[in-house]
């Protein structure tokens, strides 16, 4: 699933191509991939609109249009948004094609979990799935004290707490594992048991790992690609994620694998006490 660094990379690579362009046509190969707002359908809200800017909130991509309409795109597990400078025949997994004044944007999704919602811009934060998201971990206002307060009442393991988008927006399995490793914290620790010093280490680790992920243009194992169809490079920097059974690159201990919060988790039993 695209996490914060992947969605931010999609935002940046897509914005270069489509900002200021107008949407001339919409082809819905699988209409359930989109939704409108109340009594207005998706095409009615979107067709003919100009793309003003692209933003991101957690794992969601926001495409702001004129006439106060915003598209909220959530890639879920296997969704992609690709830009093509020339008309391209949609493949079998392409569900939406936006024809622009110059080029096309294809929304594809092998598993059909991803969605694009059209909603009035003034309501997109309050009356959509964005309304319950936690703070942005790379926001300058996100402090170690804020993280401490959000974890204080969480009795679940810290891995599960970090995956909770109500606690913090944008982290998924990859960057939660990597952040906990960098902070030297066991993923099994109860979230509310972390000391103030550990919270500071974790806060710094989360920000450093996410920024490194953005700088490397995301992590590509299988499905993720940016808007140009290119892979991210952060896989080369992974310390623990996907490396269960291999030696720790810091201490040489065998990395252990277990299941927490319904997700496979990898950690070093020596580095992460």
């Amino acid at each position: 699933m695209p996490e914060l660094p992947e969605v931010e990379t999609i935002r940046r690579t897509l914005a270069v191509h489509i900002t200021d362009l107008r949407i001339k046509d919409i082809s819905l190969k699988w209409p359930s991939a989109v939704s409108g707002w109340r009594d207005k359908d998706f095409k009615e809200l979107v067709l003919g609109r100009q793309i003003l800017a692209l933003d991101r909130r957690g794992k969601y991509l926001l495409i702001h249009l004129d006439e106060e309409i915003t598209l909220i795109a959530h890639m879920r597990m296997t969704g992609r948004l690709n830009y093509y400078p020339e008309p391209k025949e949609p493949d079998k997994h392409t569900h939406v094609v936006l024809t622009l004044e110059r080029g096309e944007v294809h929304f594809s999704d092998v598993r059909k979990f991803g969605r694009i919602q059209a909603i009035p811009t003034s309501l997109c934060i309050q009356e959509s799935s964005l309304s319950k998201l936690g703070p942005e971990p790379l926001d300058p206002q996100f402090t170690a004290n804020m993280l401490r307060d959000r974890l204080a009442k969480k009795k679940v393991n810290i891995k599960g707490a970090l995956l909770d988008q109500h606690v913090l927006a944008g982290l998924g399995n990859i960057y939660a594992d990597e952040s906990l490793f960098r902070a030297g914290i066991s993923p099994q620790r109860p979230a509310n048991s972390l000391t103030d010093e550990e919270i500071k280490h974790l806060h710094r680790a989360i920000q450093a790992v996410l920024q490194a992920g953005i700088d490397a243009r995301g992590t590509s194992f299988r499905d993720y690609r940016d808007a140009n169809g290119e892979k991210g490079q952060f896989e080369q920097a992974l310390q623990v994620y996907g490396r269960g059974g291999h030696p720790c690159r810091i201490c040489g201990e065998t990395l252990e694998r277990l299941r927490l919060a319904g997700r496979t988790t990898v950690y070093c039993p020596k580095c992460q006490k």
Side-chain angles (χ1 to χ4, degrees):
M1 173 187 293
E3 302 179 30
L4 188 155
E6 288 75 46
V7 178
E8 177 62 20
T9 301
I10 293 170
R11 184 194 72 79
R12 294 181 182 188
T13 53
L14 197 57
V16 172
H17 299 297
I18 71 173
T19 302
D20 295 331
L21 298 183
R22 198 167 294 277
I23 300 170
K24 296 174 57 180
D25 193 18
I26 301 171
S27 176
L28 301 179
K29 308 298 183 181
W30 185 55
S32 295
V34 302
S35 61
W37 175 250
R38 295 183 178 171
D39 60 338
K40 295 185 178 181
D41 67 23
F42 184 84
K43 283 190 174 183
E44 182 181 358
L45 290 167
V46 177
L47 190 60
R49 301 282 184 261
Q50 184 180 21
I51 298 167
L52 302 181
L54 280 76
D55 202 355
R56 180 194 53 75
R57 181 72 172 97
K59 302 178 185 180
Y60 294 82
L61 180 70
L62 309 180
I63 303 176
H64 299 301
L65 312 178
D66 65 358
E67 303 295 331
E68 287 293 307
I69 296 296
T70 292
L71 303 182
I72 303 176
H74 194 192
M75 268 56 81
R76 301 285 182 179
M77 296 296 293
T78 58
R80 292 185 188 177
L81 277 167
N82 290 112
Y83 174 80
Y84 300 102
E86 302 292 338
K88 183 181 186 298
E89 184 68 23
D91 64 29
K92 65 179 181 179
H93 299 301
T94 297
H95 308 314
V96 183
V97 176
L98 302 180
T99 301
L100 310 178
E101 293 173 303
R102 183 175 64 253
E104 297 179 341
V105 173
H106 290 208
F107 177 64
S108 60
D109 187 1
V110 173
R111 301 184 68 176
K112 290 188 172 182
F113 291 156
R115 294 291 186 273
I116 302 178
Q117 178 186 14
I119 187 171
T121 301
S122 60
L123 301 177
C124 71
I125 299 298
Q126 294 82 13
E127 299 192 28
S128 71
S129 45
L130 307 183
S131 63
K132 297 180 180 179
L133 292 179
E136 287 287 324
L138 292 178
D139 192 311
Q141 297 182 349
F142 175 65
T143 64
N145 287 340
M146 185 183 294
L147 179 60
R148 179 198 62 202
D149 293 343
R150 300 190 75 81
L151 295 176
K153 296 181 180 180
K154 293 290 182 180
K155 297 180 181 179
V156 299
N157 57 72
I158 184 61
K159 171 66 182 287
L162 292 180
L163 293 179
D164 185 346
Q165 299 301 294
H166 302 156
V167 173
L168 200 57
L171 263 72
N173 212 27
I174 297 173
Y175 298 97
D177 275 7
E178 293 297 306
S179 297
L180 289 169
F181 175 78
R182 184 179 287 233
I185 297 170
S186 168
Q188 302 174 80
R189 285 276 301 279
N192 62 2
S193 74
L194 271 60
T195 66
D196 286 350
E197 194 63 26
E198 288 173 322
I199 292 288
K200 290 178 183 178
H201 286 312
L202 181 58
H203 176 264
R204 287 195 295 268
I206 290 170
Q207 293 191 323
V209 166
L210 289 175
Q211 188 58 57
I214 292 172
D215 293 343
R217 304 174 74 251
T219 306
S220 293
F221 282 110
R222 292 174 295 276
D223 300 289
Y224 164 70
R225 300 290 186 276
D226 68 15
N228 298 319
E230 297 178 0
K231 293 183 177 182
Q233 302 300 316
F234 194 62
E235 180 182 357
Q236 301 169 19
L238 295 175
Q239 298 294 308
V240 288
Y241 180 83
R243 299 191 63 245
H246 293 276
C248 175
R249 288 175 170 150
I250 301 299
C251 71
E253 187 80 9
T254 300
L255 298 177
E256 294 189 5
R257 185 190 296 111
L258 73 162
R259 199 158 184 83
L260 293 173
R263 305 301 300 276
T264 299
T265 299
V266 180
Y267 73 104
C268 175
K270 186 175 181 180
C271 294
Q272 296 171 258
K273 297 294 185 182

